[in-house]
Coordinates of all heavy atoms in Angstrom, one line a residue:
M168 N 16.2 -0.1 -16.7 CA 14.9 0.3 -16.2 C 14.9 0.7 -14.8 O 15.6 0.1 -14.0 CB 13.9 -0.8 -16.5 CG 13.7 -1.3 -17.9 SD 13.0 -0.1 -19.0 CE 11.3 -0.5 -18.9
A169 N 14.0 1.6 -14.4 CA 13.9 2.1 -13.1 C 12.4 2.3 -12.7 O 11.6 2.5 -13.6 CB 14.7 3.4 -12.8
T170 N 12.1 2.1 -11.5 CA 10.7 2.3 -11.0 C 10.6 3.7 -10.4 O 11.4 4.1 -9.5 CB 10.4 1.3 -10.0 OG1 10.6 0.0 -10.6 CG2 8.9 1.4 -9.5
Y171 N 9.7 4.5 -11.0 CA 9.4 5.8 -10.5 C 8.0 5.9 -9.8 O 7.1 5.2 -10.3 CB 9.4 6.8 -11.6 CG 10.8 6.9 -12.3 CD1 11.0 6.1 -13.4 CD2 11.8 7.7 -11.8 CE1 12.3 6.1 -14.1 CE2 13.0 7.7 -12.4 CZ 13.3 6.9 -13.6 OH 14.5 7.0 -14.2
E172 N 8.0 6.6 -8.8 CA 6.7 6.7 -8.0 C 6.0 8.0 -8.4 O 6.6 9.1 -8.4 CB 7.0 6.7 -6.5 CG 5.7 6.7 -5.7 CD 6.0 6.6 -4.2 OE1 7.2 6.6 -3.8 OE2 5.0 6.7 -3.4
Y173 N 4.7 7.9 -8.6 CA 3.9 9.1 -8.9 C 2.7 9.0 -7.9 O 2.4 8.0 -7.4 CB 3.4 9.1 -10.3 CG 4.4 9.3 -11.4 CD1 5.2 8.3 -11.9 CD2 4.7 10.6 -11.8 CE1 6.2 8.5 -12.8 CE2 5.7 10.9 -12.8 CZ 6.4 9.8 -13.2 OH 7.4 10.0 -14.2
R174 N 2.1 10.2 -7.7 CA 1.0 10.2 -6.7 C -0.1 11.0 -7.3 O 0.0 12.2 -7.6 CB 1.5 10.8 -5.4 CG 0.4 10.6 -4.3 CD 1.0 10.8 -3.0 NE 1.2 12.2 -2.7 CZ 1.6 12.7 -1.6 NH1 1.9 11.9 -0.6 NH2 1.8 14.0 -1.4
C175 N -1.2 10.3 -7.4 CA -2.5 11.0 -7.8 C -3.2 11.5 -6.6 O -3.2 10.8 -5.6 CB -3.4 10.0 -8.5 SG -5.0 10.6 -8.9
R176 N -3.7 12.7 -6.7 CA -4.3 13.4 -5.5 C -5.6 12.6 -5.1 O -6.0 12.6 -4.0 CB -4.7 14.8 -5.8 CG -3.4 15.7 -6.0 CD -3.7 17.1 -6.1 NE -4.4 17.7 -4.9 CZ -3.8 18.1 -3.9 NH1 -2.5 18.0 -3.8 NH2 -4.4 18.6 -2.8
Q177 N -6.2 11.9 -6.0 CA -7.4 11.2 -5.7 C -7.2 9.7 -5.4 O -7.7 9.2 -4.5 CB -8.4 11.2 -6.9 CG -9.7 10.5 -6.7 CD -10.6 10.7 -7.9 OE1 -10.5 11.8 -8.5 NE2 -11.4 9.8 -8.1
D178 N -6.3 9.1 -6.1 CA -6.1 7.6 -6.0 C -4.9 7.2 -5.2 O -4.7 6.0 -5.0 CB -6.1 7.0 -7.4 CG -7.4 7.3 -8.1 OD1 -8.4 7.1 -7.6 OD2 -7.3 7.7 -9.3
G179 N -4.0 8.1 -4.9 CA -2.8 7.7 -4.2 C -1.6 7.4 -5.1 O -1.6 7.7 -6.3
S180 N -0.7 6.7 -4.5 CA 0.6 6.4 -5.2 C 0.5 5.2 -6.2 O -0.3 4.3 -6.0 CB 1.7 6.0 -4.2 OG 1.9 7.1 -3.3
F181 N 1.3 5.3 -7.2 CA 1.4 4.2 -8.2 C 2.8 4.3 -8.7 O 3.5 5.3 -8.8 CB 0.4 4.2 -9.3 CG 0.4 5.4 -10.1 CD1 1.1 5.4 -11.3 CD2 -0.3 6.5 -9.7 CE1 1.1 6.6 -12.1 CE2 -0.3 7.7 -10.5 CZ 0.4 7.7 -11.7
D182 N 3.3 3.1 -9.2 CA 4.7 3.0 -9.7 C 4.6 2.9 -11.3 O 3.7 2.3 -11.8 CB 5.4 1.8 -9.2 CG 5.7 2.0 -7.7 OD1 5.8 3.2 -7.2 OD2 5.8 1.0 -7.0
V183 N 5.6 3.5 -11.9 CA 5.8 3.4 -13.4 C 7.2 2.9 -13.6 O 8.2 3.5 -13.1 CB 5.5 4.7 -14.1 CG1 5.8 4.6 -15.5 CG2 4.1 5.1 -13.8
T184 N 7.4 1.9 -14.4 CA 8.8 1.4 -14.8 C 9.1 2.0 -16.2 O 8.4 1.8 -17.1 CB 8.8 -0.1 -14.8 OG1 8.4 -0.6 -13.5 CG2 10.2 -0.6 -15.1
L185 N 10.2 2.8 -16.2 CA 10.7 3.4 -17.4 C 12.2 3.3 -17.5 O 12.9 3.1 -16.5 CB 10.3 4.9 -17.3 CG 8.9 5.3 -17.3 CD1 8.7 6.8 -16.9 CD2 8.2 5.0 -18.6
P186 N 12.8 3.5 -18.7 CA 14.2 3.6 -18.7 C 14.8 4.7 -17.9 O 14.1 5.8 -17.7 CB 14.5 3.9 -20.2 CG 13.3 3.4 -20.9 CD 12.2 3.6 -20.0
I187 N 15.9 4.5 -17.3 CA 16.5 5.5 -16.4 C 16.7 6.8 -17.1 O 17.2 6.9 -18.2 CB 17.9 5.0 -15.9 CG1 17.7 3.8 -15.0 CG2 18.7 6.1 -15.1 CD1 19.0 3.1 -14.5
G188 N 16.2 7.9 -16.4 CA 16.4 9.2 -16.9 C 15.3 9.7 -17.8 O 15.3 10.8 -18.3
T189 N 14.3 8.9 -18.0 CA 13.2 9.2 -19.0 C 11.9 9.6 -18.3 O 10.9 10.0 -18.9 CB 12.9 8.1 -19.9 OG1 12.4 7.0 -19.2 CG2 14.1 7.7 -20.8
A190 N 11.9 9.6 -16.9 CA 10.7 9.9 -16.2 C 10.4 11.4 -16.2 O 11.3 12.2 -15.9 CB 10.8 9.4 -14.8
G191 N 9.2 11.8 -16.6 CA 8.8 13.2 -16.6 C 8.3 13.6 -15.2 O 8.2 12.8 -14.3
P192 N 8.0 14.9 -15.1 CA 7.6 15.4 -13.8 C 6.1 14.9 -13.5 O 5.7 15.0 -12.3 CB 7.6 16.9 -13.9 CG 7.6 17.2 -15.4 CD 8.2 16.0 -16.1
S193 N 5.4 14.5 -14.5 CA 4.0 14.0 -14.2 C 3.7 13.0 -15.3 O 4.3 12.9 -16.4 CB 3.0 15.1 -14.2 OG 2.9 15.7 -15.5
T194 N 2.7 12.1 -15.0 CA 2.2 11.2 -15.9 C 0.7 10.9 -15.5 O 0.3 11.3 -14.5 CB 3.0 9.8 -15.8 OG1 2.5 9.0 -16.9 CG2 2.7 9.1 -14.5
R195 N 0.0 10.3 -16.4 CA -1.4 10.1 -16.2 C -1.7 9.0 -15.2 O -1.0 8.0 -15.3 CB -2.2 9.8 -17.5 CG -2.1 11.0 -18.5 CD -3.5 11.2 -19.1 NE -3.4 12.4 -20.0 CZ -3.9 13.5 -19.6 NH1 -4.5 13.7 -18.4 NH2 -3.8 14.6 -20.4
C196 N -2.6 9.2 -14.3 CA -3.0 8.2 -13.4 C -3.6 7.0 -14.1 O -4.5 7.3 -14.9 CB -3.9 8.8 -12.3 SG -4.7 7.5 -11.2
P197 N -3.2 5.8 -13.8 CA -3.8 4.7 -14.6 C -5.3 4.4 -14.2 O -6.0 3.8 -14.9 CB -3.0 3.5 -14.1 CG -2.3 3.9 -12.9 CD -2.2 5.4 -12.9
R198 N -5.7 5.0 -13.1 CA -7.1 4.8 -12.6 C -8.1 5.8 -13.2 O -9.1 5.6 -13.7 CB -7.2 4.7 -11.1 CG -6.6 3.5 -10.5 CD -6.8 3.4 -9.1 NE -6.0 2.3 -8.5 CZ -5.5 2.3 -7.3 NH1 -5.7 3.4 -6.5 NH2 -4.8 1.3 -6.9
C199 N -7.7 7.1 -13.0 CA -8.6 8.2 -13.3 C -8.1 9.0 -14.5 O -8.9 9.8 -15.1 CB -8.9 9.1 -12.1 SG -7.4 10.1 -11.6
G200 N -6.9 8.9 -14.9 CA -6.4 9.6 -16.1 C -6.0 11.0 -15.9 O -5.5 11.7 -16.8
V201 N -6.1 11.5 -14.6 CA -5.7 12.9 -14.3 C -4.1 12.9 -14.1 O -3.6 11.9 -13.6 CB -6.4 13.3 -13.0 CG1 -5.8 14.6 -12.4 CG2 -7.9 13.4 -13.2
P202 N -3.5 14.0 -14.6 CA -2.0 14.1 -14.4 C -1.6 13.9 -12.9 O -2.2 14.5 -12.0 CB -1.7 15.4 -14.9 CG -2.7 15.8 -15.8 CD -4.0 15.1 -15.3
A203 N -0.7 13.0 -12.6 CA -0.2 12.8 -11.3 C 1.3 13.2 -11.2 O 2.1 12.9 -12.1 CB -0.3 11.3 -10.9
G204 N 1.6 13.9 -10.2 CA 3.0 14.4 -10.0 C 3.9 13.3 -9.5 O 3.5 12.4 -8.8
R205 N 5.2 13.5 -10.0 CA 6.2 12.5 -9.6 C 6.6 12.8 -8.1 O 6.7 13.9 -7.7 CB 7.4 12.7 -10.5 CG 8.5 11.7 -10.2 CD 9.6 11.8 -11.2 NE 10.8 11.1 -10.8 CZ 12.0 11.2 -11.4 NH1 12.1 12.0 -12.4 NH2 13.0 10.5 -10.9
V206 N 6.8 11.7 -7.4 CA 7.3 11.8 -6.0 C 8.8 11.6 -6.0 O 9.3 10.6 -6.5 CB 6.7 10.7 -5.1 CG1 7.2 10.7 -3.7 CG2 5.2 10.8 -5.1
F207 N 9.5 12.7 -5.6 CA 11.0 12.6 -5.6 C 11.4 12.2 -4.2 O 11.2 12.9 -3.2 CB 11.6 14.0 -5.9 CG 11.4 14.4 -7.4 CD1 10.3 15.1 -7.7 CD2 12.2 13.9 -8.4 CE1 10.0 15.5 -9.1 CE2 12.0 14.2 -9.7 CZ 10.9 15.0 -10.0
A208 N 11.9 11.0 -4.2 CA 12.4 10.4 -2.9 C 13.5 9.4 -3.2 O 13.6 8.9 -4.3 CB 11.2 9.7 -2.2
A209 N 14.3 9.2 -2.2 CA 15.3 8.2 -2.3 C 14.7 6.8 -2.5 O 13.6 6.6 -1.9 CB 16.2 8.2 -1.1
P210 N 15.3 5.9 -3.2 CA 14.6 4.6 -3.4 C 14.3 3.9 -2.1 O 15.2 3.8 -1.3 CB 15.7 3.9 -4.3 CG 16.5 4.9 -4.9 CD 16.5 6.1 -3.9
R211 N 13.1 3.5 -2.0 CA 12.7 2.7 -0.9 C 12.7 3.4 0.5 O 12.8 2.8 1.5 CB 13.4 1.3 -0.8 CG 13.4 0.5 -2.0 CD 11.9 0.1 -2.3 NE 11.9 -0.6 -3.6 CZ 10.8 -0.7 -4.3 NH1 9.6 -0.2 -3.8 NH2 10.7 -1.3 -5.4
L212 N 12.8 4.7 0.4 CA 12.8 5.5 1.7 C 11.6 6.3 1.7 O 11.2 6.9 0.7 CB 14.0 6.4 1.8 CG 15.4 5.7 1.9 CD1 16.5 6.7 1.9 CD2 15.4 4.8 3.1
G213 N 11.0 6.4 2.9 CA 9.8 7.3 3.0 C 8.6 6.8 2.3 O 7.7 7.5 2.0
R214 N 8.5 5.5 2.0 CA 7.4 5.0 1.2 C 6.3 4.6 2.2 O 6.5 4.1 3.3 CB 7.8 3.7 0.4 CG 8.7 4.1 -0.7 CD 9.0 2.8 -1.5 NE 7.7 2.3 -2.0 CZ 7.4 2.3 -3.3 NH1 8.2 2.8 -4.2 NH2 6.3 1.9 -3.7
M215 N 5.1 4.9 1.8 CA 3.9 4.6 2.6 C 3.0 3.7 1.7 O 3.0 3.8 0.5 CB 3.1 5.9 2.9 CG 3.6 6.6 4.1 SD 2.5 7.9 4.6 CE 3.2 9.3 3.7
P216 N 2.1 3.0 2.4 CA 1.2 2.2 1.6 C 0.3 3.1 0.8 O 0.0 4.3 1.3 CB 0.4 1.5 2.7 CG 1.2 1.4 3.9 CD 2.1 2.7 3.8
A217 N -0.2 2.7 -0.4 CA -1.0 3.6 -1.2 C -2.3 4.0 -0.5 O -2.7 5.1 -0.7 CB -1.3 2.8 -2.5
A218 N -2.9 3.1 0.3 CA -4.1 3.5 1.0 C -3.9 4.6 2.0 O -4.7 5.5 2.2 CB -4.7 2.3 1.7
L219 N -2.7 4.6 2.6 CA -2.3 5.7 3.6 C -2.1 7.0 2.8 O -2.6 8.1 3.2 CB -1.1 5.3 4.4 CG -0.6 6.3 5.4 CD1 -1.8 6.7 6.4 CD2 0.6 5.8 6.2
H220 N -1.4 6.9 1.7 CA -1.3 8.1 0.8 C -2.6 8.7 0.4 O -2.9 9.9 0.5 CB -0.5 7.8 -0.4 CG 1.0 8.1 -0.3 ND1 1.5 9.3 0.1 CD2 2.0 7.3 -0.6 CE1 2.8 9.2 0.1 NE2 3.2 8.0 -0.3
A221 N -3.5 7.8 0.0 CA -4.9 8.3 -0.4 C -5.6 8.9 0.7 O -6.3 9.9 0.6 CB -5.7 7.1 -1.0
A222 N -5.5 8.4 1.9 CA -6.2 8.9 3.1 C -5.6 10.3 3.4 O -6.4 11.2 3.7 CB -6.1 8.0 4.3
I223 N -4.3 10.5 3.4 CA -3.7 11.7 3.7 C -4.1 12.8 2.6 O -4.4 13.9 2.9 CB -2.1 11.6 3.7 CG1 -1.8 10.8 5.0 CG2 -1.4 13.0 3.7 CD1 -0.3 10.4 5.0
D224 N -4.1 12.4 1.3 CA -4.5 13.3 0.3 C -5.9 13.7 0.4 O -6.3 14.9 0.3 CB -4.3 12.6 -1.1 CG -2.8 12.5 -1.5 OD1 -2.0 13.3 -0.9 OD2 -2.5 11.7 -2.4
R225 N -6.8 12.8 0.8 CA -8.2 13.1 1.0 C -8.4 14.1 2.2 O -9.1 15.0 2.1 CB -9.0 11.8 1.3 CG -10.5 11.9 1.2 CD -11.2 10.6 1.1 NE -10.6 9.5 1.9 CZ -10.0 8.5 1.4 NH1 -9.9 8.3 0.1 NH2 -9.5 7.6 2.2
A226 N -7.6 13.9 3.3 CA -7.7 14.8 4.4 C -7.2 16.1 4.0 O -7.8 17.2 4.4 CB -6.8 14.2 5.6
E227 N -6.1 16.2 3.3 CA -5.6 17.5 2.8 C -6.6 18.2 1.9 O -6.8 19.4 2.0 CB -4.2 17.4 2.1 CG -3.1 17.0 3.0 CD -1.8 16.7 2.3 OE1 -1.8 16.7 1.0 OE2 -0.8 16.5 3.0
R228 N -7.2 17.5 1.0 CA -8.1 18.1 0.0 C -9.4 18.6 0.7 O -9.9 19.6 0.3 CB -8.5 17.0 -1.0 CG -9.3 17.5 -2.2 CD -9.6 16.5 -3.2 NE -10.3 15.3 -2.7 CZ -9.7 14.1 -2.6 NH1 -8.5 13.9 -3.0 NH2 -10.5 13.1 -2.1
T229 N -9.8 18.0 1.8 CA -11.0 18.4 2.5 C -10.7 19.3 3.7 O -11.7 19.7 4.4 CB -11.8 17.2 2.9 OG1 -11.1 16.4 3.8 CG2 -12.3 16.4 1.7
A230 N -9.5 19.7 3.9 CA -9.1 20.5 5.1 C -9.8 21.9 5.0 O -10.3 22.4 6.0 CB -7.6 20.6 5.3
E231 N -9.7 22.5 3.9 CA -10.2 23.9 3.7 C -11.7 23.8 3.3 O -12.4 24.8 3.6 CB -9.4 24.6 2.6 CG -8.0 24.8 3.0 CD -7.8 25.7 4.2 OE1 -8.5 26.6 4.3 OE2 -6.8 25.4 5.0
Q232 N -12.1 22.8 2.5 CA -13.5 22.7 2.1 C -14.0 21.3 2.3 O -13.8 20.5 1.4 CB -13.5 23.1 0.6 CG -14.9 23.3 0.0 CD -14.9 23.8 -1.4 OE1 -13.9 24.0 -2.0 NE2 -16.1 24.0 -1.9
P233 N -14.6 21.1 3.4 CA -15.0 19.7 3.7 C -16.0 19.1 2.7 O -16.8 19.9 2.1 CB -15.7 19.8 5.1 CG -15.2 21.1 5.6 CD -14.9 22.0 4.5
D234 N -15.9 17.8 2.5 CA -16.9 17.2 1.6 C -18.3 17.3 2.3 O -18.5 17.4 3.5 CB -16.6 15.7 1.5 CG -15.4 15.4 0.6 OD1 -15.1 16.3 -0.2 OD2 -14.9 14.3 0.7
V235 N -19.3 17.4 1.4 CA -20.7 17.5 1.9 C -21.2 16.1 2.3 O -21.0 15.2 1.6 CB -21.6 18.0 0.8 CG1 -23.1 18.0 1.3 CG2 -21.2 19.4 0.4
V236 N -21.7 16.1 3.6 CA -22.2 14.8 4.1 C -23.7 14.9 4.1 O -24.3 15.8 4.6 CB -21.6 14.6 5.5 CG1 -22.2 13.3 6.1 CG2 -20.1 14.5 5.6
R237 N -24.3 13.9 3.4 CA -25.7 13.9 3.3 C -26.4 13.0 4.3 O -27.6 13.0 4.4 CB -26.1 13.5 1.8 CG -25.5 14.5 0.8 CD -26.2 14.4 -0.5 NE -25.6 15.2 -1.5 CZ -25.6 16.6 -1.6 NH1 -26.3 17.2 -0.7 NH2 -25.0 17.2 -2.5
H238 N -25.6 12.1 4.9 CA -26.2 11.2 5.9 C -25.0 10.8 6.8 O -23.9 10.9 6.4 CB -26.9 10.0 5.3 CG -26.0 9.1 4.5 ND1 -25.2 8.1 5.1 CD2 -25.6 9.1 3.2 CE1 -24.5 7.5 4.2 NE2 -24.7 8.1 3.1
V239 N -25.4 10.4 8.0 CA -24.4 10.0 9.0 C -24.0 8.6 8.6 O -24.9 7.7 8.4 CB -25.0 10.0 10.4 CG1 -24.0 9.5 11.4 CG2 -25.4 11.4 10.8
P240 N -22.7 8.3 8.4 CA -22.3 6.9 8.0 C -22.8 5.9 9.1 O -22.6 6.2 10.3 CB -20.8 7.0 8.0 CG -20.5 8.5 7.8 CD -21.6 9.2 8.5
G241 N -23.4 4.9 8.6 CA -23.8 3.8 9.5 C -25.1 4.2 10.3 O -25.5 3.5 11.2
D242 N -25.7 5.3 9.8 CA -27.0 5.7 10.5 C -28.1 4.7 10.3 O -28.3 4.3 9.2 CB -27.4 7.1 10.0 CG -28.5 7.7 10.8 OD1 -28.6 7.4 12.0 OD2 -29.2 8.6 10.3
R243 N -28.7 4.4 11.4 CA -29.9 3.5 11.3 C -31.1 4.1 12.0 O -30.9 5.0 12.9 CB -29.6 2.2 12.0 CG -28.4 1.4 11.4 CD -28.3 0.1 12.1 NE -27.0 -0.4 11.9 CZ -26.1 -0.9 12.8 NH1 -26.5 -1.0 14.0 NH2 -24.9 -1.3 12.5
P244 N -32.3 3.7 11.6 CA -33.4 4.2 12.3 C -33.4 3.9 13.8 O -32.9 2.8 14.2 CB -34.6 3.5 11.7 CG -34.1 2.9 10.5 CD -32.6 2.8 10.6
A245 N -33.8 4.8 14.7 CA -33.8 4.6 16.1 C -34.7 3.4 16.5 O -35.8 3.3 15.9 CB -34.2 5.9 16.8
R246 N -34.2 2.7 17.4 CA -35.1 1.5 17.9 C -36.1 2.1 18.8 O -35.9 2.9 19.6 CB -34.2 0.5 18.6 CG -33.3 -0.2 17.7 CD -32.6 -1.4 18.4 NE -32.2 -1.0 19.8 CZ -31.8 -1.8 20.7 NH1 -31.7 -3.1 20.4 NH2 -31.4 -1.4 21.9
R247 N -37.3 1.5 18.7 CA -38.4 1.9 19.6 C -38.4 0.9 20.7 O -38.4 -0.3 20.5 CB -39.7 1.8 18.8 CG -39.9 2.8 17.7 CD -40.1 4.2 18.3 NE -40.1 5.2 17.2 CZ -40.4 6.4 17.4 NH1 -40.7 6.9 18.6 NH2 -40.4 7.3 16.4
S248 N -38.6 1.4 21.9 CA -38.7 0.6 23.1 C -40.1 0.0 23.2 O -41.1 0.6 22.8 CB -38.4 1.4 24.3 OG -38.6 0.7 25.5
S249 N -40.1 -1.2 23.7 CA -41.5 -1.8 23.9 C -42.0 -1.5 25.3 O -43.2 -1.8 25.6 CB -41.3 -3.3 23.7 OG -40.4 -3.8 24.7
N250 N -41.2 -0.8 26.1 CA -41.7 -0.4 27.4 C -42.6 0.8 27.3 O -42.2 1.9 26.8 CB -40.5 0.0 28.3 CG -40.8 0.2 29.7 OD1 -42.0 0.7 30.0 ND2 -39.9 0.0 30.6
P251 N -43.9 0.7 27.8 CA -44.8 1.9 27.6 C -44.4 3.1 28.4 O -44.8 4.2 28.1 CB -46.2 1.3 28.1 CG -45.8 0.1 28.9 CD -44.5 -0.4 28.4
A252 N -43.6 2.9 29.5 CA -43.2 4.1 30.2 C -42.2 5.0 29.4 O -42.2 6.2 29.6 CB -42.5 3.6 31.5
H253 N -41.5 4.4 28.5 CA -40.6 5.2 27.6 C -41.3 6.1 26.7 O -40.8 7.1 26.3 CB -39.7 4.2 26.8 CG -38.7 3.5 27.7 ND1 -38.0 2.4 27.2 CD2 -38.3 3.7 29.0 CE1 -37.2 2.0 28.2 NE2 -37.4 2.7 29.3
A254 N -42.6 5.8 26.4 CA -43.4 6.6 25.5 C -43.7 8.0 26.1 O -43.9 9.0 25.4 CB -44.7 5.9 25.1
R255 N -43.6 8.1 27.4 CA -43.9 9.3 28.1 C -42.7 10.2 28.2 O -42.8 11.4 28.6 CB -44.5 9.0 29.5 CG -45.9 8.4 29.4 CD -46.6 8.4 30.8 NE -45.8 7.7 31.8 CZ -45.9 6.4 32.1 NH1 -46.8 5.6 31.5 NH2 -45.2 5.9 33.1
L256 N -41.5 9.7 27.9 CA -40.3 10.5 28.0 C -40.3 11.5 26.9 O -40.8 11.3 25.8 CB -39.1 9.6 27.9 CG -38.8 8.6 29.0 CD1 -37.7 7.6 28.7 CD2 -38.6 9.3 30.3
P257 N -39.7 12.7 27.2 CA -39.6 13.7 26.2 C -38.7 13.3 25.0 O -37.8 12.5 25.1 CB -38.9 14.9 26.9 CG -38.2 14.3 28.1 CD -39.0 13.1 28.4
R258 N -39.1 13.7 23.8 CA -38.4 13.4 22.6 C -37.5 14.6 22.2 O -38.0 15.7 22.3 CB -39.4 13.1 21.4 CG -40.3 11.9 21.7 CD -39.6 10.6 21.5 NE -40.4 9.5 21.9 CZ -40.0 8.5 22.5 NH1 -38.7 8.4 22.8 NH2 -40.8 7.5 22.8
W259 N -36.3 14.3 21.8 CA -35.4 15.4 21.4 C -35.2 15.5 19.9 O -35.2 14.6 19.2 CB -34.0 15.2 22.0 CG -34.1 15.1 23.5 CD1 -34.1 14.0 24.3 CD2 -34.3 16.2 24.4 NE1 -34.2 14.3 25.6 CE2 -34.4 15.7 25.7 CE3 -34.5 17.6 24.3 CZ2 -34.5 16.5 26.8 CZ3 -34.6 18.4 25.4 CH2 -34.7 17.8 26.7
Ligands
ZN543 ZN1 -6.1 9.0 -10.1

């Protein structure tokens, strides 16, 4: 048995254990079911954490066509000052 690494463009890397020589060029992602390509690399070389792979894939996917942002992350309503002098300041 050997462990083969595949990488889903959405979910990142995952490993599949198969008999030696039986790994195909792609397999279904266990999370989303989309075909994931095999990562050809020397064993235990060039491995990155799955979260880092997912972040890189997400950055590559949105490089040409950014995701639509409907709100600013962590956006909160502006705090109102209790100082009456601040009410006369211009609003932007
Ligand atoms: Zn997936």
Side-chain angles (χ1 to χ4, degrees):
M168 298 295 267
T170 301
Y171 298 94
E172 182 179 0
Y173 290 87
R174 189 164 75 179
C175 172
R176 293 185 63 82
Q177 180 176 330
D178 300 311
S180 298
F181 60 93
D182 293 334
V183 176
T184 302
L185 297 168
I187 292 174
T189 62
S193 68
T194 190
R195 295 224 176 259
C196 171
R198 291 186 187 147
C199 67
V201 171
R205 184 173 164 193
V206 177
F207 291 93
R211 304 297 173 202
L212 294 177
R214 293 186 57 113
M215 278 191 263
L219 181 55
H220 265 306
I223 291 171
D224 288 340
R225 193 168 35 253
E227 289 175 354
R228 189 174 57 247
T229 61
E231 298 295 325
Q232 188 174 4
D234 285 341
V235 175
V236 177
R237 301 198 187 285
H238 64 87
V239 176
D242 191 22
R243 296 185 202 132
R246 289 189 320 169
R247 295 284 175 175
S248 172
S249 60
N250 187 333
H253 291 167
R255 293 192 303 268
L256 293 174
R258 299 282 173 220
W259 303 101

